[in-house]
Amino acid sequence: MEIIKGGVTAAKGFRAASTAAGIKYQGRTDMAMIYAENPCKAAGTFTTNVVKAAPVKWDQEIVYHHPAAQVIVCNSGIANACTGEEGYGYCRETAKAAAEVLHVPEDSVLVASTGVIGMQLPIEKLAAGVKQMAPELDGSLEAGNLAAKAIMTTDTVEKEAAVQVEISGKTVTVGGMCKGSGMIHPNMCTMLSFVTTDVNISKELLQEALSESVKDTYNMVSVDGDTSTNDTVLLLAGGMAGNPEITEKNEDYEKFCQALNYVNTTLAKKIAGDGEGATALFEVKIIGAESKEQAVTLSKSVVSSSLTKAAIYGHDANWGRILCAMGYSGAKFDPEKVDLYFESRAGKIKIMENGVSTGYSEEEATKILSENEVTAIADVKMGDASATAWGCDLTYDYVKINADYRS
Amino acid sequence: MEIIKGGVTAAKGFRAASTAAGIKYQGRTDMAMIYAENPCKAAGTFTTNVVKAAPVKWDQEIVYHHPAAQVIVCNSGIANACTGEEGYGYCRETAKAAAEVLHVPEDSVLVASTGVIGMQLPIEKLAAGVKQMAPELDGSLEAGNLAAKAIMTTDTVEKEAAVQVEISGKTVTVGGMCKGSGMIHPNMCTMLSFVTTDVNISKELLQEALSESVKDTYNMVSVDGDTSTNDTVLLLAGGMAGNPEITEKNEDYEKFCQALNYVNTTLAKKIAGDGEGATALFEVKIIGAESKEQAVTLSKSVVSSSLTKAAIYGHDANWGRILCAMGYSGAKFDPEKVDLYFESRAGKIKIMENGVSTGYSEEEATKILSENEVTAIADVKMGDASATAWGCDLTYDYVKINADYRS
């Protein structure tokens, strides 16, 4: 597996474009388009929130009930959530505009939105944006990078990842882009992530590979505990790598899954590290668990704890908050058997052994916690299962960003 | 029912004292003692966190297995949680010190601690504090007020409530004090609350009255989603009001429950309104629910949402976040039938009808949201059940307090 530069245009046969449609933001791009040269098999995972944004409903229909997809149109600024039938109609109109100008079926156009909930989209601006982007579609890495920038809301950096693997003698590429960075506590998948690949694979296995991968990647991220109405991961597979079609769970399938998992893990960690107002990526590993489920429950509880996150911001080895968050997670374990470590580029330190302090050096702990990527490792000594969750610290800027997000 | 001044010393036969034992804080009181002139029936509800502080285990033993209790000793600064057998031993030593000086059985002394997790208590300072407080025990309202101040950690104000009802021709008083204000997401009861009453009642009904009351009071509060290791509500009933003993669920029992509920509700709201860094009490009412359980799930999800809380801090009518938090709560409802209102001293406004914006005045909404007590009311139009949850806004100061709590 080779890590390469690029994002959604890294795989063969994919082009991207972006534009400043003036939907809500001024002086920046706010629309992106991904176009596949041939019809793709599409897989998707979507928010489990009862309140689903209109584009989620639109995309579910296409991913679940249509054989192919070829275009993704995404806007930032307005989420098109809680917008009723009018909002759903705008999904159709956006798809229709793209279908006309790109000469593809309307039901092969996926749409996605991110931004404020409850406002209606200015559909004429969206349609104009679609027309402007179509002739500018471009397969360069730069075009993909500009698309990744256009879908940002409170994100501070664009988020891309790409990787190549050899499958049956052919080079297969998987690349993607995503955006965070508030209302992030995915329960199915993260806010918006678009992954493209040139692998040749059956639609069923493509969906299965994605569904499995999101469990250990996007679903293990929490910025603020709020599961969005718009969470969407879309995966398009165009088949231009030329490998024999993957139709069973063989070695080729495993290789593809590894590549997909690498891209999803990288994007998920980028979302966590760029959480609203964050100064640090906070990684929580539970080891020695009785089951995967237990490890997931414990790690997500710690990574979601406001008190723990504030302590990480303060570089404070306040380990009691970590044990406390494990304790209220709902998972059963013996607190008096837990060992706890902090680790970062600056070193690793054992903080707690069998539920009580080791008498560690606060100075050394603070040094380790002052890095911009910090890991807490808890060993519950019950078995061999483990899980890793990603989040970020809780800072003044999170509050600032969210106290006046709409203004 | 008459609301009166006072706290734990309001009921007949209860005295309190406090002292500066120098456990962790300097220049302030940090220990409190409540003493009943005669042995009391005791009821308690405790944290459901798997990680239970030593005092929780000590008190559970007494409340569940001993017929009477007469003293509560509480310290602030150190929580005596995650302290192993050594920490549990300090509970016994504290109780022993109080038993000796007050001439009561060791197993009639309840203990409680609040503060940093993981540090051991300086037991000699605690024992000295106990000896100093014993001769100063006093039944005045002022002594109760000073005790309420001594148990504060990051609280900005002491929290007391008291009420009187007439039961079978006798005046019965219920009074209490409690403390917040971080790591507050009680799941059984809140951090620390001590309620005293002179009612004459059986131990079984006393416990039942308390267990029922905490469901609608302390358990409906969330400051930060972190369920503490130390959550404890203790209720002592001394019987000095002279009413015939309540041994069945008759009118007398109902009256007592009303009084108890008033005190618990008042204390719970005070905890929410004085949440760490809070500038506003945030009340969430779900009405028209299918069941009480559904209403509780929905209201607690909204009151716990970081994004909603940040919006309340910004006086921003960002109602989409409220609907979003209802959507990920796990409760089933139809988002396209929900009506939403904001209400405060400044008025009431309908923000959303059947899931979409009413086109309300942002100016008017901001005026209503600028008060220091703000209510959101969501009608899900499914039935007659309702629930109310209390929390607070999320502010810079919450982060500040918790980034360097230990320093």
Side-chain angles (χ1 to χ4, degrees), chain B residues 181-238:
Chain B
S181 65
M183 207 175 266
I184 298 287
H185 184 85
N187 190 0
M188 196 61 230
C189 51
T190 193
M191 199 132 182
L192 293 181
S193 184
F194 308 119
V195 181
T196 59
T197 176
D198 45 25
V199 77
N200 188 11
I201 190 170
S202 74
K203 186 167 161 73
E204 290 66 33
L205 283 181
L206 188 73
Q207 180 66 50
E208 191 168 337
L210 179 63
S211 295
E212 276 305 304
S213 180
V214 298
K215 286 184 198 165
D216 289 328
T217 57
Y218 306 108
N219 281 7
M220 294 305 285
V221 169
S222 183
V223 167
D224 51 17
D226 283 278
T227 302
S228 162
T229 50
N230 289 51
D231 287 349
T232 300
V233 177
L234 294 173
L235 169 61
L236 296 183

Side-chain angles (χ1 to χ4, degrees), chain B residues 51-374:
Chain B
V51 182
K52 290 185 197 336
V56 167
K57 296 180 193 169
W58 176 265
D59 291 353
Q60 284 181 327
E61 175 66 25
I62 293 177
V63 168
Y64 298 155
H65 304 298
H66 291 263
Q70 202 162 350
V71 182
I72 302 173
V73 178
C74 178
N75 75 278
S76 56
I78 296 179
N80 196 8
C82 307
T83 49
E85 281 180 31
E86 186 181 345
Y88 190 77
Y90 293 156
C91 295
R92 185 182 307 277
E93 289 188 48
T94 304
K96 198 176 164 189
E100 277 173 14
V101 68
L102 293 167
H103 310 293
V104 297
E106 194 178 299
D107 56 20
S108 76
V109 181
L110 297 156
V111 297
S113 296
T114 173
V116 176
I117 297 176
M119 283 174 75
Q120 294 291 356
L121 283 169
I123 185 62
E124 68 294 343
K125 288 185 182 173
L126 254 84
V130 165
K131 277 180 199 151
Q132 194 162 352
M133 288 188 287
E136 290 173 11
L137 284 163
D138 186 310
S140 69
L141 296 188
E142 198 202 342
N145 182 259
L146 290 172
K149 283 181 171 141
I151 63 171
M152 289 162 57
T153 52
T154 50
D155 306 67
T156 64
V157 290
E158 71 275 22
K159 299 170 184 69
E160 298 184 285
V163 72
Q164 286 182 329
V165 281
E166 202 180 287
I167 293 181
S168 291
K170 302 289 182 180
T171 299
V172 165
T173 304
V174 181
M177 67 180 190
C178 68
K179 54 91 49 195
S181 65
M183 207 175 266
I184 298 287
H185 184 85
N187 190 0
M188 196 61 230
C189 51
T190 193
M191 199 132 182
L192 293 181
S193 184
F194 308 119
V195 181
T196 59
T197 176
D198 45 25
V199 77
N200 188 11
I201 190 170
S202 74
K203 186 167 161 73
E204 290 66 33
L205 283 181
L206 188 73
Q207 180 66 50
E208 191 168 337
L210 179 63
S211 295
E212 276 305 304
S213 180
V214 298
K215 286 184 198 165
D216 289 328
T217 57
Y218 306 108
N219 281 7
M220 294 305 285
V221 169
S222 183
V223 167
D224 51 17
D226 283 278
T227 302
S228 162
T229 50
N230 289 51
D231 287 349
T232 300
V233 177
L234 294 173
L235 169 61
L236 296 183
M240 287 178 80
N243 64 298
E245 187 180 7
I246 302 172
T247 55
E248 57 184 73
K249 290 186 178 176
N250 54 18
E251 199 189 329
D252 288 356
Y253 178 74
E254 289 309 319
K255 276 189 187 163
F256 170 67
C257 286
Q258 278 168 26
L260 179 63
N261 221 46
Y262 173 82
V263 169
N264 285 340
T265 302
T266 306
L267 293 175
K269 287 175 73 170
K270 286 187 179 192
I271 288 173
D274 191 32
E276 285 180 337
T279 68
L281 171 69
F282 179 40
E283 182 176 71
V284 178
K285 284 187 187 173
I286 302 293
I287 61 173
E290 206 173 17
S291 65
K292 178 71 182 274
E293 191 188 5
Q294 182 199 34
V296 166
T297 301
L298 289 168
S299 60
K300 288 183 86 163
S301 185
V302 174
V303 97
S304 303
S305 153
S306 293
L307 285 170
T308 302
K309 292 166 61 168
I312 296 297
Y313 175 52
H315 310 148
D316 179 6
N318 202 325
W319 56 269
R321 294 177 179 175
I322 292 179
L323 199 64
C324 176
M326 290 169 66
Y328 64 67
S329 68
K332 296 257 174 288
F333 66 97
D334 183 352
E336 291 178 14
K337 278 190 184 160
V338 177
D339 292 354
L340 183 73
Y341 306 80
F342 285 125
E343 187 174 17
S344 75
R345 272 178 224 97
K348 184 173 178 176
I349 190 170
K350 190 175 200 170
I351 293 284
M352 191 178 83
E353 188 170 303
N354 293 323
V356 293
S357 174
T358 56
Y360 60 92
S361 151
E362 287 282 356
E363 194 186 354
E364 197 187 334
T366 298
K367 199 176 141 212
I368 288 168
L369 291 174
S370 298
E371 294 291 321
N372 64 4
E373 294 192 8
V374 170

Side-chain angles (χ1 to χ4, degrees), chain A residues 48-52 57 81-85 116-120 182-184 224-229 276 304-308 310-311 313-321 323-336 352 355-357 360 362 394-407, chain B residues 48-52 57 81-85 116-120 182-184 224-229 276 304-308 310-311 313-321 323-336 352 355-357 360 362 394-407:
Chain A
T48 54
N49 197 313
V50 170
V51 182
K52 291 184 196 337
K57 296 179 192 169
C82 305
T83 48
E85 281 180 31
V116 176
I117 297 176
M119 283 175 76
Q120 295 290 356
M183 208 176 266
I184 298 288
D224 51 16
D226 284 278
T227 303
S228 162
T229 51
E276 284 180 336
S304 303
S305 153
S306 293
L307 284 170
T308 302
Y313 175 52
H315 310 148
D316 180 5
N318 202 326
W319 56 269
R321 294 178 178 174
L323 199 64
C324 177
M326 290 169 65
Y328 64 68
S329 68
K332 296 257 174 289
F333 66 98
D334 183 351
E336 292 178 12
M352 192 178 82
V356 294
S357 173
Y360 61 93
E362 287 283 355
L394 175 62
T395 70
Y396 300 142
D397 280 353
Y398 176 84
V399 178
K400 186 174 181 185
I401 290 164
N402 287 302
D404 57 3
Y405 177 60
R406 299 195 312 167
S407 57
Chain B
T48 54
N49 196 314
V50 169
V51 182
K52 290 185 197 336
K57 296 180 193 169
C82 307
T83 49
E85 281 180 31
V116 176
I117 297 176
M119 283 174 75
Q120 294 291 356
M183 207 175 266
I184 298 287
D224 51 17
D226 283 278
T227 302
S228 162
T229 50
E276 285 180 337
S304 303
S305 153
S306 293
L307 285 170
T308 302
Y313 175 52
H315 310 148
D316 179 6
N318 202 325
W319 56 269
R321 294 177 179 175
L323 199 64
C324 176
M326 290 169 66
Y328 64 67
S329 68
K332 296 257 174 288
F333 66 97
D334 183 352
E336 291 178 14
M352 191 178 83
V356 293
S357 174
Y360 60 92
E362 287 282 356
L394 176 62
T395 70
Y396 300 141
D397 280 352
Y398 177 83
V399 178
K400 187 173 180 186
I401 290 165
N402 287 301
D404 57 3
Y405 176 59
R406 299 196 312 168
S407 56

Side-chain angles (χ1 to χ4, degrees), chain A residues 45-79:
Chain A
T45 57
F46 303 94
T47 186
T48 54
N49 197 313
V50 170
V51 182
K52 291 184 196 337
V56 167
K57 296 179 192 169
W58 176 266
D59 290 353
Q60 284 181 327
E61 175 65 25
I62 293 178
V63 168
Y64 298 156
H65 303 297
H66 291 263
Q70 204 163 350
V71 183
I72 302 174
V73 179
C74 179
N75 76 277
S76 56
I78 296 178

